Amino acid sequence: MGSASRRSLNPRTTHREFFGVPGAVAVMCITVAVVNVWYFSCNEKTGCQLPTTRHQWSAIVAGVSNYQAYVSADAMAKYVLWWAWLAMLCLVVPCSYAQGTVMRNGKRLAYPINGLASMAVTAAAAALAYARYGAAPYLWVADNFFPLAIASLMFSTSQALFVYAYSFRRSSRDAPAGSAAEPVLLALAGNSGNPVYDFFIGRELNPRVLGLDLKCFNELRPGIMGWVVLNVSFAIKQHQTFGSVSNSMWLAIVPQIAY
């Protein structure tokens, strides 16, 4: 494929969303900062107060500075297993497939419609774990919420770096020997040429590894289903500690699970 055809297939991004590079950097930094601030300003030791004083901010900075205490190999291993479990279900649970929109190269991708079935299998596995091990696994999740958050941050950042580097490969469907390979299809918004902005937006349109669409999968399954596991774990922790689940807890977790 000639250079002109490549440019027409992957036109250079001219409009940058999120106010360009400054906005991309701000979003990546602020989202991480918010998780840290919320954790160190609302917990069992300090209670829950808006950080409005110098003393409160000093405690938050001290907690963040002691990040080594929250980098846990155990939490990382369990998070990776969680991600791998859902990836396996996405690939193996029987389902119908929906055809995606026609892309710029004239092709369409198929997407497995088994999110709800994967959730049902996961819920059944969680119920079996509770029947076998009791509340212990869920209490561990509740007690290790922040190490799990750090593990998810490290894992997702590593995966995002891989996907960005992976977007510079030749197309997975290489052309026959002696002819040019079809280029990787890039996102219209992620081909600016600026590595920071393109990393943030997602340079490749549909990065797939072993049939798993990483963008589509990561946007919905590990986080949304993990949210349910966290909520249930917090409710079990509250019941274990106080003997009941509060109305405010029910009001939080039931709509979130329904969502």
Side-chain angles (χ1 to χ4, degrees):
M1 178 176 290
S3 59
S5 298
R6 289 173 182 269
R7 287 193 296 269
S8 65
L9 191 63
N10 289 318
R12 182 68 74 182
T13 300
T14 56
H15 170 70
R16 297 183 181 182
E17 302 172 358
F18 297 94
F19 302 101
V21 175
V25 172
V27 170
M28 289 189 285
C29 293
I30 290 173
T31 50
V32 175
V34 165
V35 173
N36 283 269
V37 170
W38 280 355
Y39 178 77
F40 288 108
S41 62
C42 185
N43 54 65
E44 293 179 348
K45 294 181 180 179
T46 64
C48 290
Q49 298 179 348
L50 287 175
T52 57
T53 67
R54 179 179 297 181
H55 175 73
Q56 289 173 313
W57 279 106
S58 296
I60 292 171
V61 172
V64 174
S65 301
N66 190 31
Y67 67 90
Q68 299 96 328
Y70 303 99
V71 177
S72 165
D74 191 27
M76 176 61 76
K78 287 182 170 61
Y79 183 82
V80 172
L81 285 173
W82 166 251
W83 188 94
W85 162 262
L86 294 178
M88 179 196 69
L89 292 180
C90 182
L91 295 173
V92 305
V93 171
C95 65
S96 59
Y97 284 79
Q99 294 296 316
T101 186
V102 178
M103 300 181 294
R104 298 191 302 277
N105 59 5
K107 299 176 181 177
R108 303 176 72 173
L109 297 175
Y111 294 88
I113 308 300
N114 59 6
L116 188 59
S118 296
M119 182 67 186
V121 173
T122 301
L128 289 174
Y130 187 87
R132 175 65 177 84
Y133 301 106
Y138 301 92
L139 296 177
W140 184 92
V141 170
D143 292 338
N144 289 273
F145 159 72
F146 195 61
L148 286 169
I150 297 299
S152 70
L153 172 63
M154 295 172 63
F155 182 79
S156 60
T157 302
S158 300
Q159 191 175 157
L161 288 169
F162 162 76
V163 169
Y164 177 74
Y166 189 58
S167 70
F168 289 94
R169 75 196 185 282
R170 285 175 24 134
S171 175
S172 57
R173 295 187 177 182
D174 291 338
S179 61
E182 179 181 302
V184 172
L185 196 62
L186 304 180
L188 288 175
N191 189 27
S192 70
N194 183 285
V196 175
Y197 181 79
D198 293 345
F199 167 79
F200 170 72
I201 290 293
R203 187 170 183 269
E204 185 174 352
L205 182 61
N206 301 107
R208 292 193 166 201
V209 176
L210 300 177
L212 184 68
D213 190 306
L214 294 175
K215 273 188 179 179
C216 183
F217 173 80
N218 284 309
E219 184 177 3
L220 299 172
R221 302 201 184 194
I224 295 295
M225 295 186 191
W227 193 7
V228 174
V229 174
L230 286 172
N231 282 339
V232 171
S233 298
F234 292 143
I236 291 174
K237 173 73 173 181
Q238 187 182 64
H239 188 275
Q240 188 87 359
T241 304
F242 301 105
S244 63
V245 178
S246 66
N247 291 335
S248 58
M249 177 70 82
W250 285 116
L251 187 60
I253 66 176
V254 170
Q256 288 173 5
I257 291 174
Y259 172 79

Coordinates of all heavy atoms in Angstrom, one line a residue, residues 147-199:
P147 N -4.4 -1.2 48.2 CA -3.4 -1.9 47.4 C -4.0 -2.5 46.1 O -3.3 -2.5 45.1 CB -3.1 -3.0 48.4 CG -3.3 -2.5 49.7 CD -4.5 -1.6 49.6
L148 N -5.3 -2.8 46.1 CA -5.9 -3.3 44.8 C -6.0 -2.1 43.8 O -5.8 -2.3 42.6 CB -7.2 -3.9 45.1 CG -7.2 -5.3 45.7 CD1 -8.6 -5.7 46.2 CD2 -6.7 -6.4 44.7
A149 N -6.3 -0.9 44.3 CA -6.4 0.2 43.5 C -5.0 0.5 42.8 O -4.9 0.8 41.6 CB -6.9 1.4 44.2
I150 N -4.0 0.4 43.7 CA -2.6 0.7 43.2 C -2.3 -0.4 42.1 O -1.7 -0.1 41.1 CB -1.6 0.7 44.3 CG1 -1.9 1.9 45.3 CG2 -0.2 0.8 43.8 CD1 -1.9 3.2 44.6
A151 N -2.6 -1.6 42.4 CA -2.3 -2.7 41.5 C -3.0 -2.5 40.2 O -2.4 -2.7 39.1 CB -2.7 -4.1 42.1
S152 N -4.3 -2.1 40.2 CA -5.0 -1.8 39.0 C -4.4 -0.7 38.2 O -4.4 -0.7 37.0 CB -6.5 -1.5 39.3 OG -6.7 -0.3 39.9
L153 N -3.9 0.3 38.9 CA -3.3 1.5 38.2 C -2.0 1.0 37.5 O -1.8 1.4 36.4 CB -3.0 2.5 39.3 CG -2.1 3.7 38.8 CD1 -2.8 4.5 37.7 CD2 -1.8 4.6 39.9
M154 N -1.2 0.2 38.2 CA 0.1 -0.3 37.6 C -0.2 -1.2 36.5 O 0.5 -1.1 35.4 CB 0.9 -1.0 38.7 CG 1.3 -0.1 39.9 SD 2.1 -1.0 41.2 CE 3.5 -1.7 40.4
F155 N -1.2 -2.1 36.6 CA -1.5 -3.0 35.5 C -2.1 -2.3 34.3 O -1.6 -2.6 33.2 CB -2.5 -4.1 36.0 CG -2.8 -5.1 35.0 CD1 -1.9 -6.2 34.8 CD2 -4.0 -5.1 34.3 CE1 -2.2 -7.2 33.9 CE2 -4.3 -6.1 33.4 CZ -3.4 -7.1 33.2
S156 N -3.0 -1.4 34.5 CA -3.6 -0.7 33.4 C -2.6 0.2 32.7 O -2.6 0.3 31.5 CB -4.8 0.1 33.9 OG -4.4 1.1 34.9
T157 N -1.7 0.9 33.5 CA -0.7 1.7 32.8 C 0.2 0.9 32.0 O 0.6 1.3 30.9 CB 0.0 2.5 33.9 OG1 -0.9 3.3 34.7 CG2 1.1 3.4 33.3
S158 N 0.7 -0.2 32.5 CA 1.5 -1.1 31.8 C 0.9 -1.6 30.5 O 1.5 -1.6 29.4 CB 2.0 -2.3 32.6 OG 2.6 -1.9 33.8
Q159 N -0.4 -2.0 30.6 CA -1.1 -2.4 29.4 C -1.3 -1.3 28.4 O -1.2 -1.5 27.2 CB -2.5 -3.0 29.8 CG -3.2 -3.8 28.7 CD -4.4 -4.4 29.2 OE1 -5.3 -4.7 28.4 NE2 -4.6 -4.7 30.5
A160 N -1.6 -0.1 28.9 CA -1.7 1.0 28.0 C -0.4 1.3 27.2 O -0.4 1.6 26.0 CB -2.2 2.3 28.8
L161 N 0.7 1.2 27.9 CA 2.0 1.4 27.3 C 2.2 0.3 26.2 O 2.7 0.6 25.1 CB 3.1 1.4 28.3 CG 3.2 2.6 29.2 CD1 4.1 2.4 30.4 CD2 3.6 3.9 28.5
F162 N 1.9 -0.9 26.6 CA 2.0 -2.0 25.6 C 1.1 -1.7 24.3 O 1.6 -1.9 23.2 CB 1.6 -3.3 26.2 CG 1.3 -4.4 25.2 CD1 2.3 -5.0 24.5 CD2 0.0 -4.7 24.9 CE1 2.1 -6.0 23.6 CE2 -0.3 -5.7 24.0 CZ 0.8 -6.4 23.3
V163 N -0.1 -1.3 24.6 CA -1.0 -1.1 23.4 C -0.5 0.0 22.6 O -0.6 0.0 21.3 CB -2.5 -0.8 23.9 CG1 -3.3 -0.3 22.8 CG2 -3.0 -2.1 24.6
Y164 N 0.0 1.1 23.2 CA 0.6 2.2 22.4 C 1.7 1.7 21.5 O 1.8 2.0 20.3 CB 1.0 3.3 23.3 CG 1.6 4.5 22.6 CD1 0.9 5.4 21.8 CD2 3.0 4.7 22.6 CE1 1.4 6.4 21.1 CE2 3.6 5.7 21.9 CZ 2.8 6.6 21.2 OH 3.4 7.6 20.5
A165 N 2.7 1.0 22.1 CA 3.8 0.5 21.4 C 3.4 -0.5 20.3 O 3.9 -0.6 19.2 CB 4.8 -0.2 22.3
Y166 N 2.4 -1.3 20.7 CA 1.8 -2.4 19.7 C 1.2 -1.7 18.5 O 1.2 -2.4 17.4 CB 0.8 -3.2 20.5 CG 0.3 -4.4 19.8 CD1 1.2 -5.4 19.4 CD2 -1.1 -4.6 19.6 CE1 0.7 -6.6 18.8 CE2 -1.5 -5.7 19.0 CZ -0.7 -6.7 18.6 OH -1.1 -7.9 18.0
S167 N 0.8 -0.5 18.6 CA 0.1 0.2 17.5 C 1.1 0.5 16.4 O 0.6 0.8 15.2 CB -0.6 1.4 17.9 OG 0.3 2.5 18.3
F168 N 2.4 0.4 16.6 CA 3.4 0.8 15.6 C 3.8 -0.5 14.8 O 4.6 -0.4 13.9 CB 4.6 1.4 16.2 CG 4.4 2.8 16.7 CD1 4.0 3.0 18.1 CD2 4.5 3.9 15.9 CE1 3.8 4.3 18.5 CE2 4.2 5.2 16.4 CZ 3.9 5.4 17.7
R169 N 3.2 -1.6 15.0 CA 3.5 -2.9 14.3 C 2.9 -2.8 12.9 O 2.1 -2.0 12.6 CB 3.0 -4.1 15.1 CG 1.5 -4.2 14.9 CD 0.8 -5.2 15.9 NE -0.6 -5.4 15.6 CZ -1.5 -4.6 15.9 NH1 -1.3 -3.4 16.5 NH2 -2.8 -4.8 15.6
R170 N 3.3 -3.8 12.1 CA 2.6 -4.1 10.9 C 1.3 -4.7 11.2 O 1.1 -5.2 12.3 CB 3.4 -5.1 10.0 CG 4.6 -4.4 9.4 CD 5.5 -5.4 8.6 NE 4.9 -6.6 8.2 CZ 5.0 -7.1 6.9 NH1 5.8 -6.5 6.0 NH2 4.5 -8.3 6.6
S171 N 0.3 -4.6 10.3 CA -1.0 -5.2 10.5 C -0.8 -6.7 10.9 O 0.0 -7.4 10.4 CB -1.9 -5.0 9.3 OG -3.1 -5.7 9.5
S172 N -1.7 -7.1 11.8 CA -1.7 -8.6 12.1 C -2.0 -9.4 10.9 O -1.6 -10.6 10.9 CB -2.7 -8.8 13.2 OG -4.0 -8.4 12.8
R173 N -2.7 -8.9 10.0 CA -2.9 -9.6 8.7 C -1.9 -9.2 7.7 O -2.2 -8.4 6.8 CB -4.4 -9.4 8.2 CG -5.4 -9.9 9.2 CD -6.8 -9.8 8.6 NE -7.8 -10.4 9.4 CZ -9.1 -10.5 9.1 NH1 -9.5 -10.0 7.9 NH2 -10.0 -11.0 9.9
D174 N -0.7 -9.7 7.8 CA 0.3 -9.3 6.9 C 0.0 -9.8 5.4 O -0.6 -10.9 5.2 CB 1.7 -9.9 7.3 CG 2.2 -9.3 8.6 OD1 1.7 -8.2 8.9 OD2 2.9 -10.0 9.3
A175 N 0.4 -9.0 4.5 CA 0.2 -9.3 3.1 C 1.2 -10.4 2.7 O 2.2 -10.7 3.3 CB 0.3 -8.0 2.3
P176 N 0.9 -11.0 1.5 CA 1.8 -12.0 1.0 C 3.2 -11.5 0.8 O 3.4 -10.3 0.7 CB 1.2 -12.5 -0.3 CG -0.2 -12.1 -0.1 CD -0.3 -10.9 0.7
A177 N 4.2 -12.4 0.8 CA 5.6 -11.9 0.6 C 5.7 -11.1 -0.7 O 5.1 -11.5 -1.7 CB 6.5 -13.1 0.6
G178 N 6.4 -10.0 -0.6 CA 6.7 -9.2 -1.8 C 5.7 -8.1 -2.0 O 5.8 -7.3 -2.9
S179 N 4.7 -8.1 -1.2 CA 3.7 -7.0 -1.3 C 3.6 -6.2 0.1 O 4.0 -6.8 1.1 CB 2.3 -7.5 -1.6 OG 1.8 -8.4 -0.6
A180 N 3.1 -5.0 0.0 CA 3.1 -4.2 1.3 C 2.0 -4.7 2.2 O 0.9 -5.1 1.7 CB 2.9 -2.7 0.9
A181 N 2.3 -4.6 3.5 CA 1.3 -5.0 4.5 C 0.2 -3.9 4.7 O 0.5 -2.8 4.5 CB 1.9 -5.4 5.8
E182 N -1.0 -4.3 5.0 CA -2.0 -3.3 5.3 C -1.7 -2.7 6.6 O -1.4 -3.3 7.6 CB -3.4 -4.0 5.4 CG -4.5 -3.1 5.7 CD -5.8 -3.8 5.8 OE1 -6.2 -4.5 4.8 OE2 -6.4 -3.8 6.9
P183 N -1.7 -1.4 6.7 CA -1.3 -0.7 7.9 C -2.3 -0.9 9.0 O -3.5 -1.2 8.8 CB -1.2 0.8 7.5 CG -2.2 0.9 6.4 CD -2.1 -0.4 5.7
V184 N -1.9 -0.8 10.3 CA -2.8 -0.8 11.4 C -3.7 0.4 11.3 O -3.3 1.5 11.0 CB -2.0 -0.8 12.7 CG1 -2.9 -0.6 13.9 CG2 -1.1 -2.0 12.9
L185 N -5.0 0.1 11.6 CA -6.0 1.2 11.5 C -5.9 2.0 12.8 O -6.1 1.4 13.9 CB -7.4 0.6 11.3 CG -8.5 1.5 10.8 CD1 -8.2 2.1 9.5 CD2 -9.8 0.8 10.8
L186 N -5.7 3.3 12.7 CA -5.5 4.1 13.8 C -6.8 4.9 14.1 O -7.7 5.1 13.2 CB -4.4 5.1 13.6 CG -3.0 4.5 13.2 CD1 -2.0 5.6 13.0 CD2 -2.6 3.5 14.3
A187 N -7.0 5.3 15.4 CA -8.1 6.1 15.8 C -8.0 7.5 15.1 O -6.9 8.1 15.1 CB -8.2 6.2 17.3
L188 N -9.1 8.0 14.7 CA -9.1 9.3 14.0 C -8.6 10.4 15.0 O -8.0 11.4 14.6 CB -10.5 9.7 13.5 CG -11.0 8.9 12.3 CD1 -12.4 9.3 12.0 CD2 -10.1 9.2 11.1
A189 N -8.9 10.2 16.3 CA -8.5 11.2 17.3 C -7.2 10.9 17.9 O -6.6 11.7 18.7 CB -9.6 11.3 18.4
G190 N -6.6 9.8 17.6 CA -5.3 9.4 18.2 C -4.1 9.3 17.3 O -3.1 8.6 17.6
N191 N -4.1 10.1 16.2 CA -3.0 10.1 15.3 C -2.5 11.5 15.1 O -2.3 11.9 14.0 CB -3.5 9.5 13.9 CG -2.3 9.2 13.0 OD1 -1.2 9.0 13.4 ND2 -2.6 9.3 11.7
S192 N -2.2 12.1 16.2 CA -1.8 13.5 16.2 C -0.3 13.6 15.9 O 0.3 14.6 15.5 CB -2.1 14.2 17.5 OG -1.3 13.7 18.5
G193 N 0.5 12.5 16.3 CA 1.9 12.6 16.2 C 2.6 12.9 17.5 O 3.8 12.8 17.7
N194 N 1.8 13.4 18.5 CA 2.3 13.7 19.8 C 2.1 12.4 20.7 O 1.0 12.0 20.9 CB 1.5 14.9 20.4 CG 2.1 15.2 21.8 OD1 1.9 14.5 22.8 ND2 2.8 16.3 21.8
P195 N 3.2 11.8 21.2 CA 3.1 10.6 21.9 C 2.3 10.6 23.1 O 1.6 9.7 23.5 CB 4.6 10.2 22.2 CG 5.3 11.5 22.0 CD 4.6 12.3 21.0
V196 N 2.3 11.8 23.9 CA 1.6 11.9 25.1 C 0.1 11.9 24.8 O -0.7 11.2 25.4 CB 2.0 13.1 25.9 CG1 1.1 13.3 27.1 CG2 3.5 13.1 26.3
Y197 N -0.3 12.7 23.9 CA -1.7 12.8 23.5 C -2.2 11.5 22.9 O -3.3 11.1 23.3 CB -1.9 14.0 22.6 CG -3.4 14.2 22.2 CD1 -4.3 14.8 23.0 CD2 -3.9 13.7 20.9 CE1 -5.6 15.0 22.7 CE2 -5.2 13.9 20.6 CZ -6.1 14.5 21.5 OH -7.4 14.6 21.1
D198 N -1.5 11.0 22.0 CA -1.9 9.7 21.3 C -2.0 8.6 22.3 O -2.9 7.7 22.2 CB -1.0 9.4 20.2 CG -1.1 10.4 19.0 OD1 -2.1 11.2 19.0 OD2 -0.2 10.4 18.2
F199 N -1.1 8.5 23.3 CA -1.1 7.5 24.3 C -2.4 7.7 25.2 O -3.1 6.7 25.5 CB 0.1 7.7 25.3 CG 0.0 6.9 26.5 CD1 0.2 5.5 26.6 CD2 -0.3 7.5 27.7 CE1 0.1 4.8 27.8 CE2 -0.5 6.8 28.9 CZ -0.2 5.5 28.9

